[in-house]
Amino acid sequence: MTPIKFVGIWIIQFISFFIIFSVSYILLPEVYLFHLYSDSVSFITESDWDALYMISMMVASVLINAVLIYATVLIVK
């Protein structure tokens, strides 16, 4: 495989991650989740919540992207 194909595949994978992350960030109700989480732990600062929420969103997006890539490879082969 040529280097340009590797770069093209990487760009496509990054774009799919970005789309998944953006859509999930738009669709998930952050305020509702904040109230739900803060009710269970009693108090959480906004900076801690932002870090927790962002890492959770990124991990979920990476996992969804990995499953999507895996399914695409299975379909193509």
Side-chain angles (χ1 to χ4, degrees):
M1 193 180 294
T2 63
I4 194 73
K5 287 184 181 180
F6 280 113
V7 171
I9 290 170
W10 183 85
I11 289 173
I12 290 169
Q13 291 171 350
F14 176 75
I15 289 171
S16 69
F17 166 78
F18 183 73
I19 290 170
I20 292 167
F21 179 79
S22 299
V23 168
S24 62
Y25 193 80
I26 290 169
L27 294 179
L28 283 176
E30 182 181 1
V31 175
Y32 173 73
L33 293 173
F34 174 75
H35 289 300
L36 189 67
Y37 187 78
S38 63
D39 287 344
S40 66
V41 293
S42 75
F43 179 75
I44 186 169
T45 63
E46 286 184 24
S47 61
D48 289 340
W49 169 253
D50 287 340
L52 178 68
Y53 184 71
M54 189 59 65
I55 287 181
S56 300
M57 292 289 294
M58 286 185 178
V59 168
S61 297
V62 165
L63 291 175
I64 292 169
N65 195 29
V67 169
L68 179 68
I69 292 169
Y70 183 76
T72 304
V73 169
L74 285 178
I75 290 170
V76 168
K77 287 191 176 201

